[in-house]
Amino acid sequence: DAKTTQPNSMESNEEEPVHLPCNHSTISGTDYIHWYRQLPSQGPEYVIHGLTSNVNNRMASLAIAEDRKSSTLILHRATLRDAAVYYCILRELIYNQGGKLIFGQGTELSVKP
Amino acid sequence: DTEVTQTPKHLVMGMTNKKSLKCEQHMGHRAMYWYKQKAKKPPELMFVYSYEKLSINESVPSRFSPECPNSSLLNLHLHALQPEDSALYLCASSQGISNTEAFFGQGTRLTVV
């Protein structure tokens, strides 16, 4: 399974942008880059995913390097509710199967008022 | 309905007990997953079911026995557990291909005494 590397923790101020980095130098051509977050005492929650192009949704943006060896999750204006552990995951393409969603250590994001 | 429902929310069991955890989804997803999460650690994949067949077993001890009786239900049968098996057990589902999001339940907090 291809691995991801993330900083253990990051801190942000409320209403400022946050850039959460992820390195995945052993990514294969068919691996999708997924981001999930886990708030305290809850199950993980999907944030965003992409393959090659940058992606935007209502929660965040995903910037993927041209060589796909790294990516950055961007929260445009952090709120106190964004304090969570953010996981960057490589999900391999396996047709007709669930495939593996393997969690790395994640980045614990704290947001200061 | 984008929910994955897990029951019970909390469970305390003795080492000689037999109990079951239940997971249900009505999104038509054909892949379902069991994860185990210890405190301050990322979720660890245990099993993947695809189209009601076990497709991935991450070398989980036989005291954990999964079952997928139909496309909406996933059970985890527990027998002769050890105190170190105490953890949060998470269920997830997805459409079954890697470029779609997975939905997680809130988990069952299991304590083995």
Side-chain angles (χ1 to χ4, degrees), chain A residues 20-35:
Chain A
L20 295 161
C22 181
N23 285 321
H24 29 79
S25 57
T26 59
I27 190 170
S28 76
T30 53
D31 285 342
Y32 279 79
I33 301 160
H34 284 243
W35 284 82

Side-chain angles (χ1 to χ4, degrees), chain B residues 21-65:
Chain B
L21 310 184
K22 182 179 166 183
C23 174
E24 196 165 1
Q25 57 89 12
H26 296 287
M27 294 176 276
H29 289 172
R30 302 316 296 266
M32 296 186 77
Y33 313 75
W34 280 116
Y35 285 84
K36 173 183 176 179
Q37 186 173 28
K38 302 281 270 184
K40 302 288 186 187
K41 297 289 186 185
E44 293 175 39
L45 182 65
M46 299 174 74
F47 303 103
V48 180
Y49 269 83
S50 179
Y51 290 87
E52 297 151 55
K53 287 190 169 55
L54 183 65
S55 61
I56 296 173
N57 176 344
E58 293 285 274
S59 304
V60 178
S62 60
R63 57 186 185 269
F64 296 92
S65 174

Side-chain angles (χ1 to χ4, degrees), chain A:
Chain A
D1 303 320
K3 283 193 171 177
T4 61
T5 306
Q6 300 176 251
N8 287 335
S9 62
M10 289 184 66
E11 207 171 73
S12 169
N13 293 317
E14 200 176 10
E15 298 192 6
E16 288 186 359
V18 183
H19 290 235
L20 295 161
C22 181
N23 285 321
H24 29 79
S25 57
T26 59
I27 190 170
S28 76
T30 53
D31 285 342
Y32 279 79
I33 301 160
H34 284 243
W35 284 82
Y36 285 75
R37 71 180 186 182
Q38 189 171 22
L39 280 65
S41 303
Q42 294 193 25
E45 173 189 30
Y46 168 81
V47 178
I48 200 165
H49 76 277
L51 184 62
T52 56
S53 306
N54 295 344
V55 184
N56 299 299
N57 66 21
R58 63 174 180 81
M59 286 181 73
S61 295
L62 176 60
I64 300 173
E66 209 167 313
D67 64 5
R68 299 205 333 123
K69 292 181 190 272
S70 65
S71 61
T72 303
L73 179 71
I74 302 163
L75 307 179
H76 295 287
R77 285 179 76 227
T79 70
L80 297 177
R81 287 174 297 177
D82 291 322
V85 179
Y86 286 78
Y87 295 101
C88 167
I89 299 165
L90 299 184
R91 191 170 181 197
E92 59 179 311
L93 179 67
I94 303 178
Y95 287 108
N96 295 323
Q97 283 192 27
K100 291 186 177 186
L101 199 63
I102 305 293
F103 288 77
Q105 292 305 307
T107 296
E108 184 167 13
L109 175 68
S110 56
V111 180
K112 294 188 295 184

Side-chain angles (χ1 to χ4, degrees), chain B residues 58-96:
Chain B
E58 293 285 274
S59 304
V60 178
S62 60
R63 57 186 185 269
F64 296 92
S65 174
E67 179 199 18
C68 190
N70 60 56
S71 59
S72 300
L73 276 177
L74 185 67
N75 297 321
L76 186 63
H77 302 299
L78 314 172
H79 173 54
L81 294 195
Q82 303 296 311
E84 57 265 30
D85 296 320
S86 299
L88 180 68
Y89 288 84
L90 294 160
C91 173
S93 71
S94 72
Q95 283 185 354

